[in-house]
Amino acid sequence: LQLAEYDKAASTLNRLLVLNPADPHPILFLWLSLAYKHQGKDKEETVTHEIAIKRLHALAMHNSKDVATLNSVADAYFELSYYQDAVKIYEQSLTLRRDQPVVLRRLGISYYALGRHADAAGVLKEASVLVGNDSTVWLWLGRSLEKLGASGEAEAAFNQAIASDNEEWGNEPPAVSVAAAYAARESGDYRLSIGWLEELAFRHPT
């Protein structure tokens, strides 16, 4: 899947399901549905996705008070960009324990992907209080605030992302910070690089 070889992915996953027909892990069906999606096999995608959702939901409900299990289920959705499903489980996990900065960060990214920018900004601000030097939190907070039209706050968040990365990486910050730096500091119009920044942020969401 990571190499975009979807025919091979679908074939391999189907073989794995044949080898373990009694109790296959739900993530196998989720991966298979993604492979089918990229192959344009809509019917197969729908069927396998529904199976995956039912099995993951059952796993989450069976462990509805287990934060670690809930997060693992939500992370499976998140990693494959099923953000609506991820949101439901992350929210459930946070009702059990609120001080989870990684969960708040991923929930914020999921909200952003769904166009819920105000919700994204809210939980990302909460995450920034818990871990003030997380450049990814500040980066996505900046993106969310930019979508809300809060350009001044967005630029401050981008600058904080740069500062956080510089603190961690010294003179060689990651590529995401390069985009953030350009966005925040170039000639007063950081929107010029928003497209580039958004692409990098989606490629490296965590």
Side-chain angles (χ1 to χ4, degrees):
L1 284 174
Q2 292 294 326
L3 296 174
E5 295 185 6
Y6 302 115
D7 291 342
K8 290 182 180 179
S11 176
T12 302
L13 288 163
N14 275 307
R15 286 201 299 271
L16 287 170
L17 291 171
V18 170
L19 290 171
N20 184 25
D23 189 28
H25 196 283
I27 194 65
L28 295 179
F29 291 100
L30 200 59
W31 287 341
L32 184 56
S33 71
L34 184 64
Y36 284 145
K37 177 180 180 180
H38 286 288
Q39 288 178 308
K41 296 181 177 180
D42 296 340
K43 182 178 179 180
E44 291 87 345
E45 179 203 350
T46 299
V47 171
T48 52
H49 184 251
E50 287 178 354
I51 293 171
I53 296 302
K54 287 179 181 178
R55 288 172 174 262
L56 285 168
H57 181 75
L59 181 62
M61 293 304 98
H62 184 70
N63 298 275
S64 62
K65 301 299 182 182
D66 185 340
V67 169
T69 300
L70 292 174
N71 290 344
S72 68
V73 171
D75 287 345
Y77 289 135
F78 179 88
E79 295 292 350
L80 294 177
S81 302
Y82 292 117
Y83 297 114
Q84 190 68 54
D85 299 311
V87 162
K88 294 176 184 177
I89 307 300
Y90 282 139
E91 289 178 339
Q92 184 179 349
S93 173
L94 288 167
T95 63
L96 299 174
R97 202 181 90 204
R98 194 70 191 178
D99 61 333
Q100 300 185 75
V102 173
V103 173
L104 288 166
R105 181 180 68 198
R106 289 191 161 203
L107 178 59
I109 294 169
S110 299
Y111 281 146
Y112 180 93
L114 295 170
R116 297 172 58 178
H117 303 121
D119 290 330
V123 295
L124 290 166
K125 285 180 180 178
E126 189 175 347
S128 73
V129 173
L130 295 173
V131 282
N133 64 343
D134 187 328
S135 59
T136 304
V137 168
W138 290 108
L139 179 64
W140 283 96
L141 177 56
R143 292 296 294 115
S144 301
L145 291 167
E146 193 275 336
K147 289 290 187 181
L148 294 171
S151 57
E153 290 181 75
E155 184 169 356
F158 287 137
N159 279 318
Q160 187 60 50
I162 298 162
S164 298
D165 265 348
N166 284 340
E167 179 181 331
E168 181 175 356
W169 298 97
N171 293 325
E172 297 182 358
V176 171
S177 279
V178 175
Y182 185 91
R185 294 180 178 176
E186 279 295 303
S187 67
D189 187 7
Y190 65 87
R191 290 175 183 81
L192 289 173
S193 66
I194 284 300
W196 178 35
L197 174 61
E198 187 170 29
E199 180 181 353
L200 282 170
F202 269 114
R203 286 176 180 271
H204 305 280
T206 58

